[in-house]
Structure formats: C-alpha cells, structure tokens
Amino acid sequence: MYTAIKQFLLGNPLESHQEHQEKLSIPLALSVFAADALSSTAFATEEILIAFSASSFAAYTHVLSIPVAIAIILLITIVSLSYLQVVRAYPENGGTYAVAKDRLGVTASHLAGASLLVDYILVVAVGVSAGVAAISSTGLIPAHWNTLLALGFIILMTLINLRGVRESGKVLAFPAYLFIGAMILLIGTGLFHWVAQGFPAISSLPKQTGSFSWMDLALVMVILNAFSHGCSALTGIEAVSNGVQVFKEPVTRNAQKTILLIGLILSLIFAGVTFLAYFYGVIPKANETVMSQIARAVFGGGSFWYYLVQIATLAILVLSANTSFAGFPRLSSILADDGYLPRQLMGLGDKLVFSNGILLLAFLSGCLVWLFHAETHALIPLFAIGVFLSFTLAQAGMVKYHWQEKHAGWKGSLIINGLGMVTTGLTTLILAYEKFLEGAWIVLVAIPLIMWAFRSIYNHYLLVQRQLALPEDDYCPLRIDHTVLVLVSSLNRGTIPALEYAKTIS
C-alpha cells in the first residue's frame, strides 16, 4: 500500500542513467530559480512604505521611496554581475559555499553554508505566508485560515519537488510566467493611465507640508531602515550558483544567462511597482497588501484583471518556496559530502532528487510558519540577513580568486567583485543594526549554532572513522571461537551441508 500511494503521488522511480534527462533549459530553469527573486517584488515595495509611514517623515513616504528603490536596483545590478563571476569560476554546485571553502577557509565556508541554509528556510516561510496574505486581501478567505493554508502550500510544494527537477519545472513554469505577464499588464496599464489621463487623487494621501534636510540624522536613519526592509528584493539571485549542474549544456553559459534574466526582470518589476505606488499614493494597510491596492487602483476592485493579479501574486509567492526546494537540498548534500551534515542528506531518491533534504526543509519551514502564525511582517525582520552575509563572503572569495589567479581580464572582474563585496558588506551591517531588535537577533544566534552543529557532526564522523580504521601494522583478524550445535535426528545426506556450514562459523 505504501509503494502504491508513493507511486501515485510521486510517479514511477527513475533509473540513475536517466539523470541527464532531468537537466533544465533556460525557460524551465527560470521558473525554478527565479520564483524567489520575482516574488519579493510583491512585498519589497510594501516594506519600504511601511518603514517610512511609521516614522516622523510619514508625509514624505512616497517621495523618499523613489531614491531608496533606485539604490536597491543598483544593488541588484551589482550582485547580478558579481554572481556571473562566481558561476564562471565555480561551475560545480555549491556557489557561495564552494567559493568560501576554496578561498577563505573552513570557518568562512561554515558561515556561508549556515547563512544560506537559514535563508532558504525563511524564503519558504515568508513566501507562503505572503502568498496567503495576498489571497486573504481579496476577502475570499478569512485571515484566521492563513496558518493552515500556508502549511498546506508547503505540503503541496514538497510533493511537487519530490516528483523530480524537470517535472517540477514544468508544473511551476505556467504560474511563474503568469506572474510576469500579469506584472507587465499591471505596470503597462498604470503607465498608460498616467500618460493619458493622470492618476486620480487619493484623499487619504498625507499632505506634504514643511520641508526636510537630507543631512538630518533622523532622516538618514529612517532611510537606512527603509533600505534594509527593501533589500528583501534581492533574495534568490544567488540560487542559480548553487545549482549550476542542473542546466543543460553549456551549463555555465546557460546559468549566466539565467542570472542576467532574473536580475533584469526583477529590476523592471520592482521599479514599476514602486513607481505605481508613488503616483497612486498607496499607503500600507493592515488588511490589504500594497500590490492589491495598486491592482484595485489600476483595474478597479472586483474586476477580472484585479483578481488575475492577485491570483498570479499568490502563485509566485507560493512558488518562491521552490527556489529553496531547489537550493537547500543541493547545498545540504554538499555539506553532507564534506561531513558537516548527516550522510543521509547525500542520497538521491527515486526521482533523482535529494528527497531527505526536501523533507527536512519542509519540516523546518513549516515549524516557522506555525510559530509565527504565517505573519509576513513578523518573519520579514529575519529575512535577508543570511543571504546578504553569503553575498559578502562570495564576493570576498572572488576578490581573492582574481588576485591569486590573475586570468585574462582579471582586473575588471576584481573591480566588479570588489564593489559587490563593499556594497553587500555595508548592507549586511545595516540589516543587522536596523533589524536586530525586530527579530534579526534570532538569525544572528541561529547561524553560530548551526556552525557549531557542523563542527560537532564532523567530529562525530571523524571519531567513527578512527574507530573503524585498520591499524597500519600488526593487524590480526578476529578469531572466531563459537560453539555451534547442529541438532539432527539421524546422519544422512541432508546433515552433511549443515555440518559444513556450522564449521565455517565455529
């Protein structure tokens, strides 16, 4: 019965030689790896607006959101170009972990690995929580169902990914491209309204009275806070570098093209959504997302196109978990192969995916959703610190790589990765400072604990290896000295084989 149910849910097992058939083309890879990055456009702008509207500069929320968005788009560009270098130098799976291990040492690689694992878990929790928030904004479901619905989506994503990389890519391709199409339609229609007839006035938009100085220390702190919240838009860019080998040949070139596409689409959608929020004067509300307000302003509440945007947003937010389901198991398998996680995470399942890693990710992210009651704003402060820490380590490792290898064009690559290291390093410090009391301290405590677990697991395997190792000299096999009784009723032809076997174990 177990086998029958398993085959019904996951399909027939694949043979090992079929692994090459599971490789992804760029269109399928985009749906697998881009979901996390694209989904962040659904809440990154809202997080920026919340940070400003809760401050003493609330009257200038929309004016101040534009320079913050521009800074984040520049950061997206820098990180995307930096990871092109990572994929070219380290085309094997591992990404940041591989770079840190090769160039910065064991401790740095542990820090990178722990940061990415934490980020992958949070991506799933935040993605499904934001997804159910998008659908509850329409009023179709009551808010108290959010937690159970989010857990249901995690189970659904787990089953989809257990069916195999290629099959999950086919399943997830339509929702991913639906979201891209819906955003193009939303932004295009909004821009057309702006050009053709101007935007309707929003009576609730605060009146901008008085003035402020850009050198005001309080304003600088508010801008940094908004910037730290908006940096959630960058999560997911690094995912391609952790799964380069799932691409079809040429793997490096296809992976680099995918990174460029992700960075370009992410920047355009994020800029468009922030632009529409600015000109429509959208203000964050407790019971409705910013994306829902923008769609309602552009298409009218209750219209088909409004619900299309909400459904597409729900789909991409839930699918953002798929980036983690692609990256977490592969990174876990690499760490397990190095002896820092249990060996069970190395094994491929019936569908040639790392099934144990997928199940572990589902369990840990489900626990987070349950503990935080699927509250997106409660989970967001934990978000992005891990990924920006891994960004910084990757760029630092690449700077050392270029300096040591001095390959053709190394100076230009050094400048790109050096700029990436400085900008992501400063962003990491800003995130840690601004979000520490909001809950980021949990991540800053969890990462060292995971690093300690890495070392403990490694020491355990080292101890077992020493116990099982053969001595270099004077080895004598164990002497077998057992008394064996063979009970027979009489001596016959059947007795002789039994006696001969008894002699081999006595």
Side-chain angles (χ1 to χ4, degrees), residues 51-52 68 217-231 426-427 430-431 433-435:
F52 281 125
V68 171
L217 180 60
L219 176 61
V220 172
M221 298 305 295
V222 171
I223 291 175
L224 289 178
N225 185 38
F227 175 78
S228 69
H229 281 72
C231 280
L426 290 174
T427 304
I430 293 171
L431 288 169
Y433 175 78
E434 292 292 342
K435 295 188 176 185

Side-chain angles (χ1 to χ4, degrees), residues 35-68:
D36 177 18
L38 296 181
S39 69
S40 61
T41 60
F43 54 80
T45 298
E46 181 169 4
E47 291 300 316
I48 294 173
L49 298 179
I50 289 174
F52 281 125
S53 60
S55 70
S56 57
F57 297 92
Y60 303 96
T61 294
H62 299 91
V63 174
L64 296 174
S65 66
I66 297 301
V68 171

Side-chain angles (χ1 to χ4, degrees), residues 284-303:
K285 296 180 181 178
N287 59 348
E288 187 177 11
T289 64
V290 165
M291 186 68 79
S292 173
Q293 293 183 63
I294 293 174
R296 194 183 299 278
V298 173
F299 298 119
S303 68

Side-chain angles (χ1 to χ4, degrees), residues 162-495:
L162 287 173
R163 293 184 66 90
V165 175
R166 183 178 174 85
E167 192 165 345
S168 64
K170 289 180 178 179
V171 171
L172 303 174
F174 175 74
Y177 287 106
L178 175 66
F179 176 77
I180 295 174
M183 290 300 100
I184 292 174
L185 181 64
L186 175 69
I187 295 170
T189 305
L191 291 177
F192 175 77
H193 289 169
W194 172 60
V195 172
Q197 53 189 315
F199 285 90
I202 304 297
S203 59
S204 58
L205 183 64
K207 301 300 181 182
Q208 298 183 8
T209 58
S211 61
F212 60 85
S213 170
W214 290 101
M215 301 303 294
D216 189 338
L217 180 60
L219 176 61
V220 172
M221 298 305 295
V222 171
I223 291 175
L224 289 178
N225 185 38
F227 175 78
S228 69
H229 281 72
C231 280
S232 56
L234 276 83
T235 59
I237 295 178
E238 83 296 339
V240 173
S241 67
N242 291 323
V244 177
Q245 292 303 313
V246 304
F247 285 85
K248 289 183 176 180
E249 294 288 347
V251 294
T252 301
R253 186 178 302 172
N254 288 338
Q256 289 180 320
K257 289 180 179 178
T258 304
I259 290 175
L260 286 176
L261 282 173
I262 291 174
L264 178 62
I265 297 172
L266 171 61
S267 298
L268 291 176
I269 295 178
F270 175 64
V273 171
T274 307
F275 180 83
L276 293 181
Y278 169 78
F279 282 103
Y280 273 117
V282 173
I283 300 171
K285 296 180 181 178
N287 59 348
E288 187 177 11
T289 64
V290 165
M291 186 68 79
S292 173
Q293 293 183 63
I294 293 174
R296 194 183 299 278
V298 173
F299 298 119
S303 68
F304 168 79
W305 302 111
Y306 167 76
Y307 284 107
L308 177 66
V309 170
Q310 289 304 98
I311 292 172
T313 303
L314 165 66
I316 198 65
L317 285 168
V318 174
L319 289 185
S320 67
N322 194 65
T323 301
S324 292
F325 278 106
F328 182 95
R330 291 185 175 276
L331 179 59
S332 298
S333 71
I334 295 170
L335 286 163
D337 188 38
D338 289 340
Y340 300 119
L341 283 179
R343 301 289 190 192
Q344 290 84 346
L345 294 171
M346 291 174 56
L348 292 173
D350 290 345
K351 304 294 287 186
L352 303 181
V353 293
F354 299 102
S355 303
N356 290 332
I358 291 173
L359 293 173
L360 177 62
L361 174 62
F363 172 76
L364 294 175
S365 58
C367 290
L368 269 183
V369 168
W370 183 266
L371 288 173
F372 286 87
H373 306 292
E375 289 287 343
T376 306
H377 300 304
L379 290 165
I380 285 290
L382 284 68
F383 206 39
I385 291 181
V387 72
F388 268 92
L389 185 56
S390 68
F391 285 167
T392 305
L393 291 170
Q395 306 318 312
M398 289 305 299
V399 167
K400 189 173 182 180
Y401 168 84
H402 296 310
W403 184 261
Q404 292 176 336
E405 300 297 329
K406 290 184 171 59
H407 53 77
W410 69 274
K411 291 183 178 179
S413 299
L414 180 67
I415 292 173
I416 292 174
N417 288 121
L419 182 62
M421 179 185 69
V422 173
T423 53
T424 56
L426 290 174
T427 304
T428 303
L429 295 176
I430 293 171
L431 288 169
Y433 175 78
E434 292 292 342
K435 295 188 176 185
F436 184 82
L437 295 179
E438 297 180 31
W441 64 269
I442 299 175
V443 174
L444 298 177
V445 170
I447 290 176
L449 289 177
I450 294 174
M451 294 174 65
W452 171 80
F454 288 163
R455 179 57 61 181
S456 299
I457 293 171
Y458 181 81
N459 289 336
H460 165 74
Y461 283 125
L462 197 61
L463 177 61
V464 172
Q465 182 181 359
R466 289 172 181 170
Q467 291 174 344
L468 297 177
L470 293 172
E472 296 181 0
D473 53 5
D474 298 329
Y475 174 69
C476 179
L478 294 175
R479 180 180 177 181
I480 298 176
D481 189 13
H482 297 157
T483 299
V484 182
L485 299 180
V486 182
L487 305 180
V488 298
S489 58
S490 63
L491 295 177
N492 52 53
R493 287 181 178 273
T495 305

Side-chain angles (χ1 to χ4, degrees), residues 17 82 112 142 159 396 426:
H17 67 82
S82 298
L159 292 175
L426 290 174

Side-chain angles (χ1 to χ4, degrees), residues 96-180:
T96 301
Y97 173 75
V99 176
K101 178 184 174 183
D102 185 44
R103 299 292 166 175
L104 302 178
V106 174
T107 301
S109 68
H110 288 180
L111 181 58
S115 301
L116 283 172
L117 292 180
V118 169
D119 178 66
Y120 283 140
I121 295 168
L122 285 167
V123 163
V124 178
V126 171
V128 296
S129 299
V132 296
I135 202 67
S136 64
S137 294
T138 64
L140 295 177
I141 63 168
H144 64 266
W145 285 12
N146 284 6
T147 301
L148 291 178
L149 190 58
L151 292 174
F153 280 130
I154 291 177
I155 294 172
L156 176 62
M157 293 300 300
T158 302
L159 292 175
I160 291 174
N161 280 274
L162 287 173
R163 293 184 66 90
V165 175
R166 183 178 174 85
E167 192 165 345
S168 64
K170 289 180 178 179
V171 171
L172 303 174
F174 175 74
Y177 287 106
L178 175 66
F179 176 77
I180 295 174

